[in-house]
Amino acid sequence: MEQRMKVSSLYRKELKRSLIGFGIVPVAIIVFIFYNLFFVISYQILEENTYNEGKKVADELQLKFSQISNQSVKLASEMDMDRLEFNSSYRQEMYGKLYNAVNEQKLNSLFLVIDSEGNVLATNWTEEPDDNHKNAVWYLNKRLKKGDEAKSLMYPNRQTLKNDRVFYNIANPIYDKHGQVTGYIIFNLLENKFRQQMNNVHYTDIVITDQYENSILTSNEMLLTQAGKLRAVDGNRYILNKISMMDETIQVHSILYISLFKKLYKIGLFTLIGVFLLITIGTIAFANQSTRKKMRSIDQLLEVITNAKQGHFNQEVKFDKEDEFQVIGVYVQQLLHDIDCLIKENNESVKRSSQAELKQLEMQIDPHFLFNTLENIKYITKINPAKAERLIVILSKLLRYSISNNMQFNRIEADINYLRDYLTLQKTRFGDALDYTIDVQPGTEEYPLPKLIIQPLVENSIKYGFQTKANLKIEILIRSTKKALYLIIRDHGEGIEKERLKALKDSLLVEENDTNHIGIYNVNRRIRLLYGKRYGLRIFSEKGVGTLVVVRLPIIKEGSSDDNGIDSGG
């Protein structure tokens, strides 16, 4: 019952996860991406528009100032202060040129011509101009001393008129024939007409200041302090762009209020989050309702599977609801019945097959071992016939041990004695080039062991170890733990390349051997047939260093099980 409730809970969770993960979440991600992308692009457009509006005002101001400056330079170069003061016809001529200059200007202005003492010689002021001309002469003379004589002198002016206001002055010195300053021509720029152009700017406030951020002209007085300076603008609430002109003496600030824009973004974002939360809650409710209907059939199907896990394959369960799970349940019950029949047939077949394969593997070992040993004796016979005679005696002992079909297992001590005789043959052939050690953990000598398990592995080390090296050392160790017996064969030969080692390991996992490693494959196959897949051999090797083979076997004491010590449950 607990298992069914767990599966039911998992089914509900998986259904919710699928609906949310593959339905709601992708849609939510796409909507949020496009929503944020829309506001990012909108913000960039606002930034670009704010800059363009400021640039338009700055370019217009630059154009008008340049036009008036060029007119002022030209008129100052043509002006003769003595003739202007004492020659009426010349005065009339210069008045005509001054009025023509004013009329040509796109920005309304007033003009003044003053001498070096500050006296007004010509003007188009209809109101009485301020009488502070001596200070103006002093200021302009100071500017000239700083090296500004090569260009027009520009500076702010805040004189208020009845219907307008002066906001900037453009002045040029008038020189006599000796290069002395005799006076100045000053154009007073009027605010109203230029303010009309500033008011045509869309959604953006314009503030024109000097280099010290003192206001010259503004479209929004709220952006100024009481002292007439530009307020510090909060970058989180406003977009601010600044364009400098006239050698950075004039700065055009374009300012856009975006606090409302950001509030709209937050309101829209929270609204979207709320909508998707409601959708998620509705989806969870739908998933719960759907799973309740489906779980009746799933519970019955789980009952069939649970009984099968306990070994009850023949079942007759009727499903209450006709749906796809009912069809699956019928098929599963039929399948379990067929499996029950096959298991019974297969158990008998496997038992017969394993016994036959074990005999076949033992038969493969005998001719393989005999061939290699006879080759060694053949070689030794040519060198020393007396030694060959002794070797034949040893070989006869080996053959009796290897071909005795009535003995499948032997004690470790007997198999080690057989191995020592085998290494004696090899030692006679290779002499001091072959060195070996055998270390058996005390207490393990009486453990039963499948015969001919160690010798093929040692033979393999000799076969491949001498291919590229003149000397070879082999170590044979037998160790045991509480759970297993380990046979360890380590050589210091050439080792195995990574690709070849991988192929060798892969061949040990298959049931049919298609490689030339017959000895290693047969040893591993015999162990797995006798004890199961938990046991067998593992190979470790490094090119140029050597090879290590570890054989894992169960610990079986004599008389502890039937069938010559075979652990059929392994």
Side-chain angles (χ1 to χ4, degrees):
M1 185 63 181
E2 182 180 352
Q3 181 69 15
R4 293 180 197 171
M5 291 179 65
K6 183 177 179 181
V7 173
S8 175
S9 176
L10 289 174
Y11 178 73
R12 288 192 179 96
K13 288 180 180 179
E14 188 62 31
L15 183 59
K16 294 174 189 175
R17 191 181 298 115
S18 299
L19 290 173
I20 295 173
F22 297 102
I24 297 175
V25 172
V27 174
I29 291 173
I30 293 171
V31 169
F32 279 110
I33 288 174
F34 278 98
Y35 179 79
N36 285 278
L37 188 62
F38 169 76
F39 274 92
V40 168
I41 294 173
S42 299
Y43 186 83
Q44 290 177 345
I45 292 173
L46 290 175
E47 280 189 324
E48 185 177 355
N49 182 69
T50 303
Y51 173 79
N52 290 337
E53 295 291 356
K55 184 73 166 52
K56 182 171 67 174
V57 172
D59 291 344
E60 188 70 21
L61 192 63
Q62 178 77 44
L63 177 64
K64 289 177 169 48
F65 276 27
S66 297
Q67 180 192 22
I68 297 172
S69 176
N70 293 334
Q71 290 175 336
S72 179
V73 170
K74 181 180 179 183
L75 289 169
S77 65
E78 297 175 355
M79 191 77 68
D80 186 328
M81 294 298 288
D82 291 334
R83 294 177 65 190
L84 181 66
E85 184 176 359
F86 300 108
N87 190 324
S88 60
S89 60
Y90 180 76
R91 185 185 304 113
Q92 186 177 0
E93 178 188 349
M94 293 310 298
Y95 259 104
K97 290 184 177 181
L98 287 166
Y99 273 108
N100 287 335
V102 170
N103 292 332
E104 290 175 0
Q105 295 169 7
K106 296 181 180 179
L107 186 65
N108 289 347
S109 67
L110 300 173
F111 65 82
L112 278 171
V113 179
I114 60 175
D115 61 15
S116 58
E117 301 297 328
N119 299 311
V120 178
L121 301 183
T123 184
N124 67 339
W125 280 65
T126 57
E127 301 179 28
E128 187 68 24
D130 60 2
D131 57 357
N132 198 18
H133 301 308
K134 289 185 179 181
N135 289 338
V137 172
W138 174 85
Y139 174 74
L140 294 170
N141 286 336
K142 185 179 179 181
R143 289 278 299 272
L144 287 175
K145 289 179 181 179
K146 290 183 178 180
D148 291 341
E149 67 274 3
K151 54 189 176 182
S152 295
L153 305 174
M154 303 181 186
Y155 57 96
N157 187 358
R158 294 178 179 82
Q159 185 172 354
T160 302
L161 306 178
K162 184 183 293 185
N163 298 317
D164 211 332
R165 188 169 76 97
V166 176
F167 74 94
Y168 215 72
N169 287 349
I170 297 178
N172 276 88
I174 302 172
Y175 297 95
D176 62 11
K177 60 182 178 180
H178 300 293
Q180 298 298 317
V181 177
T182 57
Y184 291 91
I185 179 171
I186 304 173
F187 285 94
N188 308 111
L189 309 186
L190 300 178
E191 177 180 303
N192 282 353
K193 191 169 183 179
F194 190 72
R195 183 182 290 277
Q196 291 174 4
Q197 296 178 355
M198 287 177 59
N199 291 336
N200 290 331
V201 174
H202 301 292
Y203 311 113
T204 304
D205 293 316
I206 301 295
V207 181
I208 302 173
T209 67
D210 60 14
Q211 66 267 40
Y212 306 110
E213 294 194 346
N214 295 307
S215 172
I216 297 174
L217 198 59
T218 180
S219 63
N220 187 351
E221 297 290 338
M222 299 289 291
L223 296 171
L224 303 179
T225 64
Q226 290 182 351
K229 284 183 172 290
L230 178 65
R231 290 183 184 274
V233 177
D234 185 358
N236 292 323
R237 300 176 60 197
Y238 294 89
I239 295 175
L240 173 64
N241 282 297
K242 181 175 70 173
I243 300 174
S244 298
M245 52 182 292
M246 301 295 183
D247 297 330
E248 298 188 353
T249 58
I250 296 179
Q251 296 176 344
V252 178
H253 304 266
S254 52
I255 303 171
L256 178 65
Y257 181 71
I258 58 167
S259 183
L260 180 61
F261 176 83
K262 291 189 174 181
K263 287 180 181 177
L264 288 174
Y265 168 77
K266 290 180 180 178
I267 292 171
L269 184 62
F270 286 126
T271 301
L272 283 176
I273 292 173
V275 169
F276 279 106
L277 282 176
L278 290 175
I279 293 174
T280 302
I281 293 171
T283 301
I284 293 173
F286 169 77
N288 289 333
Q289 183 65 21
S290 176
T291 52
R292 272 195 293 269
K293 293 179 180 179
K294 294 294 183 183
M295 282 313 299
R296 224 174 311 164
S297 297
I298 294 177
D299 286 340
Q300 290 178 305
L301 182 59
L302 286 173
E303 182 182 356
V304 173
I305 295 173
T306 303
N307 291 335
K309 287 174 65 177
Q310 297 173 355
H312 306 296
F313 293 99
N314 291 320
Q315 303 180 55
E316 292 292 337
V317 177
K318 293 185 178 181
F319 287 80
D320 300 331
K321 186 176 177 59
E322 293 186 0
D323 55 13
E324 59 270 23
F325 292 106
Q326 184 261 346
V327 176
I328 295 173
V330 172
Y331 287 153
V332 167
Q333 290 183 78
Q334 181 60 45
L335 181 63
L336 291 175
H337 176 73
D338 295 342
I339 289 174
D340 185 51
C341 296
L342 289 173
I343 287 174
K344 293 176 181 178
E345 295 176 1
N346 191 58
N347 286 338
E348 184 64 27
S349 176
V350 167
K351 185 176 181 180
R352 291 194 300 267
S353 177
S354 297
Q355 292 174 349
E357 186 173 357
L358 279 171
K359 289 296 181 183
Q360 183 182 7
L361 290 173
E362 289 179 2
M363 291 175 65
Q364 289 178 1
I365 293 173
D366 292 340
H368 181 71
F369 166 75
L370 181 60
F371 175 79
N372 287 320
T373 304
L374 290 175
E375 282 292 316
N376 290 340
I377 293 176
K378 176 183 177 182
Y379 175 78
I380 295 170
T381 302
K382 296 179 181 179
I383 299 173
N384 191 334
K387 286 185 178 181
E389 184 178 351
R390 292 195 301 273
L391 292 178
I392 290 173
V393 175
I394 295 174
L395 177 59
S396 65
K397 291 170 58 181
L398 297 181
L399 288 176
R400 281 195 299 271
Y401 180 82
S402 62
I403 64 176
S404 58
N405 292 327
N406 61 340
M407 182 177 59
Q408 188 177 9
F409 292 84
N410 207 343
R411 293 179 298 108
I412 289 178
E413 183 179 11
D415 216 58
I416 289 297
N417 290 335
Y418 166 81
L419 181 63
R420 292 183 191 278
D421 288 340
Y422 170 77
L423 287 172
T424 299
L425 293 176
Q426 299 288 20
K427 186 75 173 174
T428 304
R429 175 184 174 184
F430 293 104
D432 293 336
L434 174 63
D435 186 19
Y436 66 89
T437 59
I438 299 176
D439 185 2
V440 181
Q441 179 180 327
T444 62
E445 297 88 346
E446 300 299 320
Y447 287 170
L449 184 75
K451 71 174 185 178
L452 294 177
I453 287 293
I454 306 176
Q455 182 269 334
L457 302 178
V458 174
E459 179 183 3
N460 198 69
S461 294
I462 295 173
K463 178 180 178 181
Y464 294 102
F466 276 113
Q467 283 187 347
T468 58
K469 290 195 175 184
N471 295 283
L472 178 67
K473 182 177 181 180
I474 302 175
E475 300 174 55
I476 299 100
L477 297 92
I478 298 179
R479 297 288 185 269
S480 70
T481 63
K482 291 182 179 180
K483 295 183 178 181
L485 177 69
Y486 293 93
L487 314 177
I488 303 169
I489 296 90
R490 177 168 54 203
D491 69 64
H492 300 274
E494 179 60 22
I496 306 173
E497 296 177 350
K498 289 184 178 180
E499 294 79 6
R500 187 177 164 214
L501 179 63
K502 183 179 182 305
L504 180 57
K505 289 181 177 180
D506 291 342
S507 70
L508 298 179
L509 303 177
V510 298
E511 294 187 1
E512 295 293 334
N513 179 32
D514 57 357
T515 69
N516 58 352
H517 299 284
I518 299 174
I520 290 178
Y521 175 81
N522 284 352
V523 169
N524 187 68
R525 184 63 178 162
R526 286 175 62 201
I527 293 172
R528 291 202 167 195
L529 285 172
L530 287 170
Y531 306 116
K533 293 184 178 180
R534 290 186 299 164
Y535 302 98
L537 62 85
R538 297 179 65 187
I539 304 173
F540 307 89
S541 185
E542 184 177 348
K543 184 67 176 177
V545 177
T547 303
L548 173 69
V549 179
V550 179
V551 181
R552 185 174 186 266
L553 297 169
I555 296 178
I556 301 173
K557 297 181 180 180
E558 287 187 307
S560 62
S561 62
D562 298 332
D563 200 9
N564 291 328
I566 296 176
D567 183 7
S568 59

